[in-house]
Amino acid sequence: MLRGGALLVLGGVAAPLTGCDLFDRDDQPAPPPDPLRPMVDESLALAEAYRSAATAQPDLADRLGPIAEAHTAHATELARVIGVALPSAAATSPTTAPAAEPAGALAALRALEKTAQQSATQACAAAPAERAALLGSIVAARATHQEALK
């Protein structure tokens, strides 16, 4: 009788354990990150570079502010499309230190925009059709930003 009771207790304990993922493991790998995730990070880094340059060069703030806002808007929309949350502002860091004079700051931002435009162009070419319009508009905006910085 004691043996029968012990078996019932052990059987009662083992049955719930199978539902705890102890015995029934499903080792599915995590899905790969979305290929547009680097675009989110790049857009946030560009926005921060513009904000840093505007802080270092207050005379350029009116000119650089709207471009920083455009990059933040791009990051927000990209994050929405791929289903991720934007990192906090503290998590982003500028890609370069702001230049000491306005002409240097503008040249540095133009270089960042050119590199970013190239990466957005590559992402657009590789993207599925439903994402191409968004990426194409980001490519166009980055080309326009280069011109606005001249």
Side-chain angles (χ1 to χ4, degrees):
M1 184 176 226
L2 288 174
R3 284 185 190 170
L7 289 176
L8 283 176
V9 169
L10 288 176
V13 170
L17 289 178
T18 60
C20 294
D21 197 30
L22 204 62
F23 298 112
D24 186 27
R25 298 207 55 186
D26 190 16
D27 291 334
Q28 295 291 327
D34 194 289
L36 291 186
R37 179 59 207 219
M39 293 285 300
V40 174
D41 298 334
E42 182 180 59
S43 294
L44 290 173
L46 284 166
E48 185 56 34
Y50 276 91
R51 285 188 202 95
S52 294
T55 299
Q57 303 293 331
D59 293 343
L60 296 176
D62 289 342
R63 188 172 176 188
L64 301 180
I67 299 174
E69 290 173 18
H71 285 299
T72 300
H74 293 159
T76 301
E77 184 59 18
L78 286 164
R80 185 195 66 77
V81 166
I82 65 174
V84 298
L86 287 178
S88 67
T92 61
S93 60
T95 53
T96 61
E101 74 280 346
L106 294 174
L109 291 170
R110 270 195 315 276
L112 288 174
E113 286 286 357
K114 183 174 183 172
T115 301
Q117 180 191 8
Q118 292 167 348
S119 67
T121 300
Q122 291 170 351
C124 185
E130 64 271 6
R131 294 179 172 187
L134 172 60
L135 292 169
S137 68
I138 291 172
V139 170
R142 290 177 178 179
T144 302
H145 297 161
Q146 291 174 59
E147 292 301 313
L149 295 169
K150 287 185 177 179

